[in-house]
Structures are given as structure tokens and as C-alpha cells.
């Protein structure tokens, strides 16, 4: 049984894991600082004792690693919560944040900018966000009929739009130079190497507001999982819930993709793992998915910086490599106990 005490206790444990993963990520990379010294140095900086870090260590930790870790945590939270919402609304265990074709629309916008050489700081994220927004409008506009949002039509429309966008992406790749192709592929598999505080400042308010709205609908999601007709009889405004949650989840995913590229697997695996371990009550599922999604992606990004240091691999490659075997093992051991509701 989920109680407020259980929610706070498990959320506190998740927050503790997130803090440990942040400390670990601060200390790893091509320039080894050590997580203990990195953590102590940052605390000393915030308390006014800047002598704990050398100028080069300060530049590495505060100007490069800290904004990257903060942005990575926000991305992990956002993708995990969006995945949990889409899986509930579509009642489909394979649903993830990109199920509405958002990845394709965002990628087309971003890759067009890269192909045209538009390299100003905000151009690629803005173009990616616009591409995602246009996809949201197209998919929800097509699936909505007479004020009703049909979840099956949403899923089918998203798949079709994503397939169309994929063909455009392939066309852009075949017409691009080798140097630009490398940059495009890095973006397509998730690129957090250029993370700066401006990305954090852009995503943080959107993520906090969106996740807050989703959490406020947790009880209604639990009722909605029993079936739309039952939810209507219990007083849940089903259509308003679907429009609100699809819209908020889509906007949140579009914002994430615009600053991080396409990072798959997080929004698919984390909600499932939480559901397997703690049940399908969204009052607990959503906050734990947010926290453990951040832990997973921060750790994966640290591994991406470490595995081929001083070179990096796209973080999306690491999330799939780390997550797939673990998920398969859990499915073999607990698959028969897993359920959507």
C-alpha cells in the first residue's frame, strides 16, 4: 500500500542516490580530479573558500562538468516521467517519450541547421524545439476528433510521422559532408558535451513546471488505468486529462531533445523498473521515475566520458549498452509479475 510516509521515504532514498551519482560524475573524465576533492572543492567554493581548487580544476568543475551534470539530471528526470505518462495513457509497455514522433520532428529541425552551417549558440536547439512543436501539433491535431483524443490514433499517427521524418533525416545525411555527418550522428545518439548553464536555465523551469503538473494528475492517472469508462463514472474528466498530459509530456520531451539530442531507452526502461519494484501507483511511480531517471543518465554520461577518455561516445549508446542486459535480466526473473496496472 502506498502511503505519504512511503512516498517520502523512498523519494528521499532516491534523492540520496542522485546526490551520490552527482558526486561520482564530478570526479570522472579525461582530467581526473577525484570525486572526493571535486565535491569538497565545490562546497568550499560555495562557502567562499576558493583556495581548495586550482584555477584549472575550478574551470573544469564549475564551467564544464557541473552544468553538464545538472542538465543531464534534468534530461533524465524529464524523459523518465514522460515515459511513465505515455505508457499509462497509451496502456502500451513499449511507449516511450518519442512515441509521438517527437524525435523525428526535432531531429529534422536540428539536422537542417547543422547541414546549413547555422552554428550560432541557440539556433540548433530552437530549430529542434520548433520541429518538435510542429510534430506535436500535427499528431494531436490528427488524433483529436470532435474534442476527443483517441489514444490508438495518437500512437499510429506518431509512428507514421516518425517514419516520414526518418526518410528526411536519411536524405539530409546522404547530402552532407563527412565532417557534418559526424556532428549529426553525435546529436542523433545524444550529445551532452556542449552543455552549458544556458541550457540548464532553459530546461529547468520547463521541467519543474511540467513534472509538477504531471504529479498533480497522479491520482487521476491511477483511476484512468482502470479504463476510461470507469474513470468517467468516478468523476475523472478523461478527455481533459488526456489532452493535458499528452500536451505537457510532449512539450517537455521536445524541450529535452532540443538541448540534448535523442537519448533513447531512459524513458522506456526506468518507469518499467520502478513499476516492477514498487508497483504501478503513480503517486510513487512518478517521483521515483524522475529521481532514478536522473541517477541512471548522470551515471551513463559519466561512463560516456570515461570509457574512451579523452574521447567521448554518445550517451545514447551507453544508455542502451547499460540498460538492455539489466532490463532483459529483470524481465526473465520478474516478467511474469510485471503489469501496467
Amino acid at each position: 500500500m502506498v502511503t505519504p510516509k512511503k512516498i517520502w521515504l523512498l523519494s528521499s532514498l532516491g534523492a540520496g542516490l542522485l546526490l551520490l551519482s552527482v558526486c561520482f560524475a564530478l570526479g570522472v573524465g579525461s582530467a581526473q580530479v577525484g570525486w572526493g576533492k571535486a565535491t569538497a572543492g565545490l562546497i568550499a567554493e560555495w562557502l567562499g573558500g576558493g583556495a581548495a581548487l586550482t584555477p584549472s580544476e575550478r574551470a573544469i568543475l564549475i564551467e564544464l562538468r557541473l552544468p553538464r551534470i545538472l542538465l543531464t539530471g534534468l534530461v533524465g528526470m524529464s524523459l523518465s516521467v514522460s515515459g511513465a505518462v505515455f505508457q499509462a495513457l497509451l496502456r502500451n509497455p513499449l511507449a516511450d517519450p518519442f512515441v509521438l514522433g517527437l524525435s523525428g520532428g526535432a531531429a529534422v529541425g536540428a539536422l537542417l541547421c547543422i547541414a546549413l552551417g547555422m552554428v550560432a549558440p541557440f539556433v540548433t536547439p530552437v530549430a529542434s524545439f520548433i520541429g518538435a512543436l510542429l510534430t506535436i501539433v500535427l499528431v494531436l491535431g490528427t488524433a483529436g476528433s470532435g474534442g476527443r483524443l483517441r489514444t490508438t490514433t495518437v500512437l499510429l499517427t506518431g509512428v507514421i510521422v516518425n517514419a516520414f521524418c526518418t526518410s528526411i533525416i536519411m536524405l539530409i545525411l546522404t547530402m552532407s559532408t563527412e565532417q557534418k555527418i559526424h556532428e549529426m550522428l553525435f546529436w542523433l545518439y545524444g550529445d551532452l558535451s556542449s552543455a552549458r548553464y544556458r541550457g540548464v536555465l532553459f530546461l529547468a523551469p520547463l521541467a519543474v513546471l511540467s513534472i509538477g503538473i504531471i504529479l498533480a494528475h497522479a491520482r487521476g492517472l491511477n483511476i484512468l488505468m482502470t479504463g476510461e469508462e470507469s474513470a468517467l463514472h468516478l468523476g475523472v474528466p478523461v478527455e481533459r486529462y488526456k489532452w493535458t498530459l499528452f500536451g505537457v509530456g510532449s512539450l517537455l520531451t521536445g524541450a529535452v531533445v532540443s538541448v540534448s539530442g535523442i537519448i533513447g531507452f531512459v524513458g522506456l526502461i526506468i518507469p518499467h523498473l520502478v513499476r516492477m519494484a514498487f508497483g504501478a501507483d503513480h503517486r510513487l511511480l512518478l517521483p521515483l521515475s524522475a529521481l532514478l531517471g536522473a541517477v541512471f543518465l548522470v551515471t551513463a554520461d559519466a561512463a560516456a566520458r570515461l570509457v574512451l577518455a579523452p574521447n567521448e561516445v554518445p550517451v545514447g549508446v551507453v544508455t542502451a549498452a547499460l540498460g538492455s542486459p539489466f532490463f532483459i535480466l529483470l524481465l526473465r526473473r520478474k516478467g511474469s509479475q510485471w503489469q501496467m496496472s
Side-chain angles (χ1 to χ4, degrees), residues 90 92 94-105 135 138-140 142-143 151-167:
L90 296 170
N92 187 330
L94 296 179
D96 74 351
F98 306 122
V99 71
L100 302 188
L102 295 171
S103 57
T135 304
L138 176 60
V139 172
L140 296 185
T142 303
T151 53
T152 303
T153 310
V154 169
L155 184 59
L156 290 173
T157 307
V159 170
I160 293 168
V161 169
N162 217 28
F164 176 72
C165 290
T166 299
S167 67

Side-chain angles (χ1 to χ4, degrees), residues 83-92 221 225 275 282 340:
V85 167
F86 289 142
Q87 286 163 17
L89 291 174
L90 296 170
R91 297 184 62 81
N92 187 330
L221 269 176
M225 290 293 293
R275 196 179 286 110
H282 287 82
M340 283 293 294

Side-chain angles (χ1 to χ4, degrees), residues 198-336:
R198 60 175 177 265
V200 177
L201 293 175
F202 166 71
L203 184 58
L206 285 172
V208 170
L209 178 62
S210 299
I211 293 174
I213 292 172
I214 292 170
L215 287 173
H217 289 77
R219 289 181 180 274
L221 269 176
N222 287 340
I223 299 173
L224 196 59
M225 290 293 293
T226 64
E228 292 187 11
E229 189 172 335
S230 298
L232 280 171
H233 288 309
L234 291 171
V236 175
V238 172
E239 293 304 318
R240 180 173 67 81
Y241 264 57
K242 289 195 294 185
W243 280 101
T244 300
L245 293 174
F246 270 128
V248 170
S250 300
L251 287 170
L252 180 58
T253 303
V256 166
V257 174
S258 71
V259 297
S260 69
I262 300 172
I263 302 174
F265 216 80
V266 181
L268 177 64
I269 184 176
I270 298 300
H272 282 327
L273 296 182
V274 176
R275 196 179 286 110
M276 287 177 182
F278 302 105
D281 191 319
H282 287 82
R283 293 174 297 168
L284 181 60
L285 175 65
L286 291 172
L288 280 186
S289 293
L291 292 167
L292 296 183
V295 170
F296 179 69
L297 196 57
V298 167
T299 305
D301 184 56
R305 289 185 277 123
L306 195 60
V307 65
L308 293 178
N311 299 316
E312 290 188 21
V313 297
V315 68
V317 174
V318 178
T319 59
L322 288 176
S324 299
F326 186 50
F327 193 41
I328 290 171
L329 177 64
L330 278 175
L331 280 176
R332 285 182 60 86
R333 296 184 61 182
K334 298 190 69 174
S336 60

